């Protein structure tokens, strides 16, 4: 996903004089050729993440469309005050593109993990958040973000699904339940393949979301209305329960049950290990998702 992003934005710099790229060392080598062609629009500030966001806000206020990129904890968490003030409060729009989602970089240690990034941004209004599940989904989401003027966060992962899916603003039905007693599972981005495997023996509708903010409340409401009961399981690759308030708002006109599955809130996994180790620890591998889904739907 990161290679697709850097290649596409490097080419977009040649076609759109409004674009600028702001870096904090990460991926600067991938933008080296573009920087030689556009030294005034590819800015590497070194390890100064707060300044990176401030510069992006300044560029946006001059009419530029800044694309800001580094690892997720250094893009959202470390400079959050600047994200809140220099972008949001000033009405200055930028495209933030992260790499190393949640614990993709677990082997670097806790400093490089950011399972709370979407939840942190969710405390601010008017952000669009894309969570692609395949490298081929990055380009259409990125093109949409570059055409806008508002604030957009694109969360890239080092792992994904075997095939790309349509990435419109709404939920895409991947597998339909019978409609008599089935519930609804919303799989976000790279969680889809695991969700499909984990729920293969359950009578549930599986819907895919590559755009989670704005959340497709109307689409979820329609899916829940088509099921025999309003039971909704959301499987997210970041902090558990991040979208619980969206499900509650979507189904506020009816009785419903919901369950959230994501990176656990009740513990911190201190062994760095591999991303697969963290999947197992948080119940985000296929077996863990299957167990939670059965417990929730087969009651």
């Amino acid at each position: 996903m990161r290679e697709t992003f850097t290649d596409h934005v490097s080419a977009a710099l040649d076609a759109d004089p409004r674009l600028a790229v702001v870096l904090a060392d990460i991926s600067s080598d991938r933008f080296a050729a573009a920087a030689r062609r556009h030294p005034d629009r590819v800015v590497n500030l070194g390890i100064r993440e707060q300044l990176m966001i401030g510069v992006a806000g300044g560029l946006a206020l001059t009419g530029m469309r800044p694309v800001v990129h580094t690892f997720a904890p250094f893009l959202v968490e470390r400079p959050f005050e600047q994200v809140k003030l220099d972008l949001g409060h000033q009405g200055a729009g930028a495209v933030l593109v992260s790499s190393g989602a949640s614990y993709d970089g677990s082997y670097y240690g806790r400093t490089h993990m950011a399972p709370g990034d979407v939840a942190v941004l969710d405390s601010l209004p008017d952000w669009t958040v894309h969570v692609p599940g395949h490298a081929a989904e990055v380009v259409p989401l990125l093109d949409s973000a570059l055409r806008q003027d508002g604030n957009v966060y694109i969360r890239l992962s080092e792992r994904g699904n075997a095939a790309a899916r349509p990435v419109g603003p709404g939920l895409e039905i991947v597998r339909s339940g019978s409609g008599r007693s089935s519930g609804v599972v919303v799989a976000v981005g790279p969680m889809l393949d695991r969700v499909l495997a984990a729920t293969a023996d359950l009578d549930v509708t599986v819907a895919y979301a590559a755009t989670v903010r704005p959340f497709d409340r109307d689409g979820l409401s329609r899916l829940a209305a088509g099921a025999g009961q309003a039971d909704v399981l959301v499987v997210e690759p970041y902090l558990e329960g991040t979208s619980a308030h969206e499900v509650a708002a979507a189904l506020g006109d009816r009785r419903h049950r919901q369950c959230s599955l994501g990176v656990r809130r009740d513990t911190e996994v201190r062994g760095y290990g591999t991303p697969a180790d963290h999947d197992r620890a948080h119940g985000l591998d296929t077996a863990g998702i299957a167990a939670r889904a059965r417990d929730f739907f087969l009651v």
Side-chain angles (χ1 to χ4, degrees), residues 250-264:
L251 304 180
D253 61 343
R254 74 200 71 185
R255 293 183 180 275
H256 64 277
R257 298 168 61 244
Q258 65 166 295
C259 179
S260 299
L261 182 54
V263 178
R264 292 173 57 183

Side-chain angles (χ1 to χ4, degrees), residues 18 20 22 52-68 86-88 90-95 148-151:
R18 195 171 72 114
V22 188
M52 176 182 65
I53 299 298
V55 166
L59 287 169
L61 290 174
T62 71
M64 303 290 286
R65 186 58 167 159
V67 179
V68 192
D86 297 357
L87 295 180
Q90 293 291 339
V95 182
Q148 299 177 28
D149 292 317
N151 283 309

